Each structure stands twice: as structure tokens, then as C-alpha cells.
Amino acid sequence: MEEKKKQKKRMLILILLLLLLLGGYGVYHFFFAPKPAPMTVISGDFLPEGKDAKKMSDKELAALAQKKVDESNFNMMIVSEAVIDSTTQTGQLAIKNPESNAYPINVEIKEDKTGQLIYTSGAIYPGEEIKEVHLEHALAKGEYQTTATFSLYDSQTKKKQGEVSAGVTIFVK
């Protein structure tokens, strides 16, 4: 009989714990659980019928594609050797931005051994050229290996689009 009382007591405790657990869940669910936000569904937005658009011809597509290709091409033109006067630090150095280029450029020439910047062209727009230069950093008489870096810029935003380099030998006499 004592065994039955212990068993009833355990069963009662188990039922009370279960009721307590269910009651806790109920309190949480009704008072503390986040409420779902109502959503509005809008339907019925469809692509309207065509009005003014027309299909491009093959000729128009080819012209557009060629324009894009032309804009992506760049031709740099600079002589490979230049002679500079040692007293005036000026001389003949032809740099050209052909009209076929889409980008304005800036050319910087640096001495290979020291990395010293010896000339900057400033903006050269398509169709413009430089024939004579004045060095910004004086060089003594001798032969110098230099690198001319062509920086390409977007004509509207003035942001740099890329760069190309070429070697130039400068003779200072």
C-alpha cells in the first residue's frame, strides 16, 4: 500500500510539472511571443504593350558594336628616342594622341634607374600632339633609359581608365 501511495505521489508530481510546463508555454505564447506582421500582396503589375520601340537593324547593331570596339582601342604614339639640349633642358619629343582614340591622356616620363619623374605632359585630347618638351627635372649630359606611361582618362568623369607604357631613350647633349 505504501508503494501505491509513492506511485500516486510521483504521478501527481509528474502531472503538476506537465501542467506547469504547458502553463509557461501558454503565458509565453500569448504575452511575450512576437506577433506576425500583416503583409500586403500587390499583384497585377505587368509589362505594358510596346509603344515607340522598334527592332534595331543589323546595320545599326554593327555600327553600335564598332563604336564600342573603337572606344576600347587605344593607340599610343611616341618617338623611341629624343635629343635634349643640356643647357635649356628642351628638345624634340613627339607625343601624339590620334583622333581615333576615345580617351584624353596624360604622359609621365620617369628615369628607369632612379624612378625620378622628369616630364609630365598634362592633358592631351584626341587629335592633339606635343612636339617639343621641357624637362621638369634637369638631366646631365648622357644617355638615359626612361619609361613613358600613358594614363587614359574618361572625358566626362575625368577618372583614370587605364594605362600603357613604352620605353624611350633620351640623349642629353
Side-chain angles (χ1 to χ4, degrees), residues 39-90:
M39 292 177 35
T40 305
V41 177
I42 299 174
S43 63
D45 281 342
F46 298 102
L47 180 64
E49 292 296 319
K51 184 177 175 185
D52 297 325
K54 65 177 182 164
K55 188 166 181 89
M56 292 177 73
S57 70
D58 289 340
K59 193 175 186 179
E60 290 171 320
L61 282 172
L64 182 63
Q66 185 60 47
K67 181 180 176 192
K68 292 295 182 188
V69 167
D70 291 344
E71 287 176 0
S72 69
N73 285 338
F74 174 76
N75 294 315
M76 64 177 177
M77 298 178 84
I78 188 167
V79 294
S80 60
E81 294 181 348
V83 178
I84 303 293
D85 185 304
S86 64
T87 55
T88 62
Q89 296 293 304
T90 59

Side-chain angles (χ1 to χ4, degrees), residues 15-169:
I15 290 173
L16 285 175
L17 283 174
L18 187 59
L19 286 174
L20 187 62
L21 187 64
L22 286 173
Y25 174 75
V27 168
Y28 168 77
H29 182 69
F30 290 112
F31 295 107
F32 299 109
K35 306 287 186 248
M39 292 177 35
T40 305
V41 177
I42 299 174
S43 63
D45 281 342
F46 298 102
L47 180 64
E49 292 296 319
K51 184 177 175 185
D52 297 325
K54 65 177 182 164
K55 188 166 181 89
M56 292 177 73
S57 70
D58 289 340
K59 193 175 186 179
E60 290 171 320
L61 282 172
L64 182 63
Q66 185 60 47
K67 181 180 176 192
K68 292 295 182 188
V69 167
D70 291 344
E71 287 176 0
S72 69
N73 285 338
F74 174 76
N75 294 315
M76 64 177 177
M77 298 178 84
I78 188 167
V79 294
S80 60
E81 294 181 348
V83 178
I84 303 293
D85 185 304
S86 64
T87 55
T88 62
Q89 296 293 304
T90 59
Q92 300 295 311
L93 176 61
I95 303 170
K96 187 173 184 178
N97 189 0
E99 268 188 56
S100 61
N101 287 342
Y103 301 105
I105 61 172
N106 177 52
V107 180
E108 292 183 340
I109 300 177
K110 293 183 180 180
E111 185 183 357
D112 290 347
K113 280 185 183 176
T114 63
Q116 176 77 39
L117 179 67
I118 58 174
Y119 176 74
T120 304
S121 70
I124 306 172
Y125 287 89
E128 295 181 342
E129 66 182 345
I130 293 174
K131 293 181 180 179
E132 186 176 87
V133 298
H134 178 77
L135 300 184
E136 297 166 14
H137 176 73
L139 296 175
K141 289 183 180 182
E143 181 179 326
Y144 298 88
Q145 297 302 317
T146 65
T147 300
T149 303
F150 288 69
S151 298
L152 291 71
Y153 294 88
D154 184 290
S155 56
Q156 262 81 44
T157 64
K158 308 292 188 216
K159 289 187 177 180
K160 191 175 192 177
Q161 298 297 308
E163 59 184 32
V164 180
S165 297
V168 177
T169 304

